[in-house]
Amino acid sequence: MAGSDMALPTVSIITVTRNLIDEGRVEAIRAALETAQEQGGAIVEHVIWDGASTDGTVDLLKDLIAEIEARPSFVPIRFQSLPDKSLYDAMNRGVEISQGQYVVFLNSDDLLVSPDCLQKAREEIGSGRPDFCFGRTIFIEKDGSKRLSRERKVHSILQRIPFCHNSMLIRRDVFDRFGGHDLDLRIVADYDLVLRMLFAGCEYQMLSVPIAVFHPGGVSADQMKTALEMTKSWRKNYAPFFGGRTYSEDEMLNWFRTGQLPLGFCVNLLRQSRNRPQLRNAALHSLKVTLRRRLQPWRTWDYFAD
């Protein structure tokens, strides 16, 4: 049993922090640290990257880590506090100092679903070693109620990220190959990374086990800012399939609002992805969505709808 467990991939949990005391997140980070410690042998380490906090967060984290490391057994913690450029830059830097074969991102105010969720994820991954994999997410609503996300498939990726970033495990070498998150994007860099992996033909796996407990909100809750960044990512990744046509920002914002991608783009992508079944399925799904919604023009698409 021990030998077979050692053959499973190792996982590094990456948590980024900055000025948690000012933000009232002291108890939240305590819970995040504990949820990582509960994983036991399922991971190799918990990496905490702090963006040079100025409110006492560094001392708080050092004290919390010292308490954990005084226990008879604990998950190793790798802690670093240095200036960074943004949230996604902090995530990239956290991955740089990690040692696991897969990385999973855990926000300072989020949790892992259960003490064995990463162990179960490792068992499902097995020797297949997909480029990335993802499970479902439990959302905590404003009233405190919990909601399990519906099962999503990657074929809807052309319109939105079909799963929570915190419920995704990415192979470390794949993350490095793609240069991590694009720092030109401050809200949807996680979505952009998944798009780039899919367009490059990366292999993925859906996991049956939920991974993260997530509190919706933050910068991605601003629909207009999110829409503007989505169009930026779309233009970067979709331009080769525009057939030489130039789309205005207003046109692309309408794609976000309605969930309808241009028919010409869908057809071009479908034709050029014959040898990439995952991308072809995504193109076919988008084509069907656009045709259906053209027949039902009153329907709109909410980026955050589950």
Side-chain angles (χ1 to χ4, degrees):
M1 179 67 180
S4 61
D5 187 69
M6 289 179 64
L8 298 178
T10 55
V11 181
S12 293
I13 298 175
I14 312 293
T15 299
V16 301
T17 64
R18 191 170 194 281
N19 290 345
L20 298 179
I21 295 175
D22 283 351
E23 294 182 3
R25 295 187 177 185
V26 173
E27 293 307 313
I29 190 59
R30 286 181 186 272
L33 287 169
E34 289 302 326
T35 198
Q37 289 299 311
E38 290 174 351
Q39 298 302 310
I43 63 174
V44 63
E45 64 190 351
H46 187 187
V47 175
I48 303 172
W49 178 277
D50 178 78
S53 291
T54 57
D55 65 344
T57 292
V58 173
D59 289 335
L60 168 69
L61 289 171
K62 287 180 177 179
D63 289 343
L64 293 175
I65 292 170
E67 290 178 13
I68 290 171
E69 292 180 341
R71 299 172 184 175
S73 62
F74 58 89
V75 171
I77 299 174
R78 191 183 302 273
F79 175 65
Q80 184 68 268
S81 181
L82 290 171
D84 53 58
K85 299 176 182 177
S86 65
L87 171 65
Y88 287 112
D89 183 40
M91 290 181 177
N92 288 353
R93 291 179 178 228
V95 174
E96 286 177 2
I97 64 172
S98 69
Q99 296 184 344
Q101 294 166 314
Y102 281 82
V103 295
V104 59
F105 296 98
L106 177 70
N107 291 339
S108 60
D109 57 351
D110 295 325
L111 303 170
L112 295 167
V113 166
S114 64
D116 61 352
C117 65
L118 290 184
Q119 175 66 15
K120 289 181 178 179
R122 294 172 69 219
E123 292 170 357
E124 287 194 43
I125 292 171
S127 60
R129 300 295 198 275
D131 297 309
F132 68 98
C133 51
F134 56 93
R136 295 164 74 182
T137 302
I138 293 178
F139 291 98
I140 304 296
E141 306 295 358
K142 290 182 179 180
D143 62 2
S145 62
K146 296 181 180 180
R147 172 174 58 88
L148 178 63
S149 65
R150 290 187 295 181
E151 190 173 89
R152 291 292 187 182
K153 297 184 179 179
V154 173
H155 67 209
S156 63
I157 188 65
L158 297 180
Q159 286 112 329
R160 54 165 288 173
I161 189 167
F163 43 81
C164 180
H165 187 220
N166 291 15
S167 290
M168 178 172 64
L169 284 77
I170 308 174
R171 248 177 45 195
R172 162 68 192 277
D173 62 326
V174 173
F175 189 91
D176 290 343
R177 189 201 318 161
F178 284 89
H181 300 106
D182 183 344
L183 301 188
D184 287 336
L185 301 171
R186 302 183 68 88
I187 301 175
V188 302
D190 49 354
Y191 170 71
D192 178 76
L193 176 58
V194 178
L195 267 184
R196 286 186 282 135
M197 289 192 294
L198 183 66
F199 273 78
C202 286
E203 297 293 328
Y204 66 86
Q205 179 180 347
M206 287 192 300
L207 303 172
S208 64
V209 56
I211 301 295
V213 180
F214 181 68
H215 295 79
V219 291
S220 62
D222 187 317
Q223 288 272 30
M224 180 51 68
K225 289 182 179 179
T226 300
L228 289 170
E229 281 215 353
M230 290 279 283
T231 62
K232 188 175 182 178
S233 176
W234 285 340
R235 194 179 298 279
K236 178 180 70 172
N237 291 288
Y238 298 172
F241 307 97
F242 284 169
R245 177 169 176 180
T246 300
Y247 292 97
S248 69
E249 185 174 89
D250 286 343
E251 286 178 302
M252 297 182 76
L253 285 173
N254 195 53
W255 304 353
F256 179 91
R257 183 181 64 82
T258 65
Q260 299 177 25
L261 297 174
L263 286 175
F265 161 73
C266 296
V267 172
N268 288 336
L269 181 57
L270 193 60
R271 287 173 176 169
Q272 296 180 50
S273 59
R274 292 179 179 177
N275 297 324
R276 289 178 286 177
Q278 297 167 353
L279 192 56
R280 182 175 175 81
N281 288 340
L284 185 60
H285 172 77
S286 292
L287 180 62
K288 291 178 179 178
V289 168
T290 295
L291 289 173
R292 183 173 68 246
R293 290 178 180 176
R294 284 196 173 190
L295 296 174
Q296 300 175 325
W298 62 88
R299 294 185 62 177
T300 58
W301 174 65
D302 183 350
Y303 175 80
F304 293 100
D306 184 57

